[in-house]
Amino acid sequence: MRILVTGGAGFIGSALVRRLVEHTAHEVLVFDKLTYAGVLSSLESVAASNRYSFVQADICDADAVSKALQEFRPDVVAHLAAESHVDRSIDGPGDFIQTNMVGTFVMLNQTLGYWRALNEDAKAAFRFHHISTDEVFGSLGEDGFFTETTPYDPRSPYSASKAGSDHLVRAWGHTYGLPVLVTNCSNNYGPYHFPEKLIPLIIIRALNGEPLPVYGDGSNVRDWLFVDDHARALQAVFETGTPGETYNVGGNAERKNIEVVTAICSILDRLRPKDEGQYADQITYVTDRPGHDHRYAIDASKIRSDLDWTPAVTFEQGIEQTVAWYLENQSWWQDILDARYSTQRLGVANG
Ligand code: NAD
Ligand code: TDX
């Protein structure tokens, strides 16, 4: 198949592209603006493949989207391009509305025009796959799980913009018959994760001897999904999922933030012991994120029963691999620290 991947230079997009190029016969076009979060070196291992190509462009640019569709002629659009960081959405929501909502509208509208001109077989086989988040469902208490039918209740500018984009995608499916798929997944982690996110930020700051900021009391819970497991789920959904359906994807690995941070510290104590003391000595509780959602947890039974997908990597295996990857790939993250973002606090709303 020919797969157009928006946001393919990002964390999850690049994991999907590496998987598709290295483990399948599919052809891939990455369509990416290369914002602060787009990292071309994450695609180095596939750059020489003749089944990989790249175009630098904005999903809000209808002409650029149309040109990419007409020239590449995809069977699948895997739409991952987004502004993805909750803390940045608190500081500057405008880019989130623009890229996540307006950009998704442009992708849908241009894709619809392209799709309508396909022959009947190609039309029936085509998929527009929108990659979204469990944050659209809001915040859970101590019990319960998000299912595909949980009502939407987004609470941050980021999750509200993703909820809006999910609604647009389903509307294009219902109204125009575009064969759409939506996946809502939990917190991903793994190699090539941008240093603004909790896990890479903690690893890098620990190695640099800096305070490890835990928001609030550290009791917030996330359901951690290893990024390669997610990439495998995405492939299963666009290859075999039923158009019009939504699939929740989760890691079945709920952890409190403080448990994640202490797990990283103890792995580092073993793999890169400090001269004096332990990494956990650097843990510092800081002012909470405004509107901080308490708990996310996914019920992934639908994708398990319908598409035979389950996560293969446990949290203990995944976090060990991830810490080891950051130890072995300092040049990847040091370039980002030097040029783009150096792990400072974001998202403290100051009125
Ligand atoms: P990321 O921030 O690492 O990457 C986003 C990519 O999109 C970057 O390469 C960036 O350059 C590109 N991009 C941004 N704006 C663009 C625009 N206007 N036009 C073209 N390209 C643009 O994000 P990620 O963590 O890889 O997330 C990918 C998708 O998965 C997003 O839609 C996100 O909402 C969703 N998601 C992420 C997680 C997670 O834990 N990371 C969880 C659930 C859902
Ligand atoms: O320094 C920190 N300290 C801290 O305690 C940071 C950066 C985060 N946190 C907390 C906030 C969250 O409870 O850790 C948890 C994880 O934070 P993030 O890595 O910012 O992820 P989150 O806000 O949960 O959102 C992520 O998962 C869902 C992705 O960024 C989203 O794109 C995805 O939709």
Side-chain angles (χ1 to χ4, degrees), residues 119-140:
N119 67 39
E120 288 310 311
D121 287 350
K123 246 182 171 163
F126 183 84
R127 302 286 182 266
F128 183 98
H129 179 175
H130 178 60
I131 286 72
S132 191
T133 173
D134 59 0
E135 299 196 15
V136 299
F137 300 122
S139 181
L140 290 166

Side-chain angles (χ1 to χ4, degrees), residues 202-212 274 279 281-282:
I202 294 296
I203 298 170
I204 291 168
R205 289 185 67 95
L207 291 171
N208 287 339
E210 294 166 336
L212 308 181
K274 300 214 294 186
Y279 287 98
D281 302 339
Q282 292 166 227

Side-chain angles (χ1 to χ4, degrees), residues 49 59 73 92 121 204 273 338:
S49 168
I59 57 165
R73 308 208 65 75
D121 287 350
I204 291 168
D338 293 345

Side-chain angles (χ1 to χ4, degrees), residues 41 193-195 200 203-205 207-208 272 323 325-339 341 343:
S41 59
H193 203 180
F194 197 84
I203 298 170
I204 291 168
R205 289 185 67 95
L207 291 171
N208 287 339
R272 182 75 59 89
V323 172
W325 188 89
Y326 279 84
L327 286 172
E328 284 156 22
N329 291 275
Q330 179 162 355
S331 67
W332 181 87
W333 52 264
Q334 192 62 51
D335 285 352
I336 293 172
L337 259 48
D338 293 345
Y341 168 69
T343 75

